[in-house]
């Protein structure tokens, strides 16, 4: 990078965050993205859109007992505890009061992603607020985000119309669309979340530090300034 874009010259960027609301690293990644945005928005406009992903689409609507689910996944209670130790540490660093032991079930998140999609029709601020409300409901308040009542509560908290969300959740609206978008993400090569896709060209994979996300945004902005007709090659940072 030869120079840092300035407020008057840096082009606007879009970031598509491929995320699953049952993924603690996605919550951590959201906090780190917010820190990065607080830095780079002094120099450029950035539009953030939330895209769906499901770490486990096989979960039933009612979910599965979370303790048993994690022990099955990680080979017993010790394996689950070891797997989540870095999550707790990262959560403390980002001021996220994870209450993982209070979560009753590992939830199927398809309906949560439907709500996030509907929030996006109200604007990106409403969508971000909905994502935040769902993360908090699951990871801090120990609620089942597969439950329609919990989803309606989170959507209402974010400013969506309670009756409209409840009516849509009772039907099949956008289930196929959300599932197709998840499949598209997999076809694009997304195998883990969070994945931050900048201008649909440059991917930063994982809950990277805020500095890494800010650097990636500046890199893409600088590339656009240097050669606005060319697209930077996709880059994956593990």
């Amino acid at each position: 990078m030869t120079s840092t874009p300035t407020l008057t010259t840096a082009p606007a960027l879009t970031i598509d965050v491929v995320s699953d609301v049952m993924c603690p690293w996605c919550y951590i990644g959201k906090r780190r993205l917010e820190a990065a945005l607080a830095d780079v928005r002094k120099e450029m406009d950035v539009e953030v859109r939330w895209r769906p992903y499901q770490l486990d689409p096989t979960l039933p609507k009612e979910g599965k007992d979370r303790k048993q689910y994690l022990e099955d996944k990680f080979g017993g209670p010790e394996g689950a505890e070891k797997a989540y130790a870095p999550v707790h540490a990262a959560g403390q660093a980002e001021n996220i009061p994870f209450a993982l032991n209070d979560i009753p079930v590992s939830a199927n998140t398809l309906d949560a992603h439907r709500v996030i999609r509907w929030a996006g029709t109200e604007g990106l601020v409403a969508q971000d607020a909905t994502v935040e409300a769902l993360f908090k409901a699951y990871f801090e308040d120990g609620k089942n985000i597969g439950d329609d009542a919990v989803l309606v509560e989170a959507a209402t908290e974010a400013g969506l119309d309670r009756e409209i969300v409840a009516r849509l959740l009772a039907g099949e609206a956008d289930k196929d669309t959300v599932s197709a978008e998840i499949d598209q993400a997999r076809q694009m090569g997304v195998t883990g979340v969070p994945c931050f896709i900048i201008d649909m060209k440059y991917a930063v994979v994982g809950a990277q530090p805020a500095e890494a996300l800010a650097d990636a945004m500046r890199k893409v902005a600088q590339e656009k300034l240097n050669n606005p007709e060319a697209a930077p090659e996709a880059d994956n940072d593990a």
Side-chain angles (χ1 to χ4, degrees):
M1 187 168 68
T2 58
S3 64
T4 299
T6 64
L7 182 63
T8 56
T9 60
L13 300 179
T14 60
I15 299 181
D16 289 275
V17 187
V18 184
S19 166
D20 192 1
V21 283
M22 73 173 291
C23 168
W25 287 109
C26 291
Y27 197 6
I28 293 164
K30 186 175 190 294
R31 286 290 178 270
R32 293 175 176 175
L33 174 62
E34 289 164 351
L37 290 171
D39 183 13
V40 303
R41 277 181 170 153
K42 304 167 189 173
E43 306 157 19
M44 68 190 82
D45 293 327
V46 184
E47 182 179 90
V48 177
R49 304 175 297 206
W50 291 87
R51 303 299 189 187
Y53 197 84
Q54 283 193 283
L55 292 173
D56 190 350
T58 69
L59 285 164
K61 167 66 176 174
E62 66 274 13
K64 291 184 179 179
D65 178 83
R66 181 171 173 81
K67 183 174 182 292
Q68 189 62 53
Y69 179 77
L70 293 181
E71 290 180 4
D72 291 345
K73 182 176 181 179
F74 296 110
E78 290 184 1
E81 184 176 350
K82 182 178 180 181
Y84 271 80
V87 171
H88 283 288
Q92 288 181 341
E94 302 300 333
N95 296 314
I96 300 174
F98 280 118
L100 301 180
N101 292 333
D102 295 337
I103 300 173
V105 300
S106 290
N108 185 301
T109 55
L110 180 62
D111 287 340
H113 287 303
R114 293 165 73 203
V115 173
I116 293 169
R117 179 179 179 81
W118 301 330
T121 67
E122 298 295 320
L124 297 180
V125 172
Q127 188 180 58
D128 187 82
T130 301
V131 172
E132 180 73 20
L134 289 168
F135 276 139
K136 183 178 184 299
Y138 192 55
F139 288 114
E140 298 183 31
D141 301 334
K143 296 179 180 179
N144 177 8
I145 55 171
D147 182 83
D148 285 1
V150 173
L151 294 173
V152 170
E153 178 184 353
T156 304
E157 180 183 332
L160 277 66
D161 186 283
R162 175 183 294 272
E163 292 184 6
I164 292 176
V165 173
R167 184 171 68 249
L168 289 171
L169 280 171
E172 300 294 310
D174 288 323
K175 281 189 177 181
D176 289 345
T177 302
V178 171
S179 295
E181 194 169 347
I182 293 169
D183 289 340
Q184 182 183 36
R186 293 195 176 100
Q187 291 168 11
M188 290 172 60
V190 177
T191 57
V193 289
C195 180
F196 305 90
I197 303 174
I198 306 173
D199 268 14
M200 295 303 293
K201 301 164 186 171
Y202 185 106
V204 179
V205 180
Q208 298 295 320
E211 295 82 1
L213 291 169
D215 286 347
M217 286 182 245
R218 289 189 175 105
K219 178 178 179 179
V220 175
Q222 189 64 54
E223 184 71 24
K224 290 175 76 171
L225 284 172
N226 292 343
N227 190 0
E229 300 301 321
E233 294 182 3
D235 181 33
N236 295 301
D237 295 326

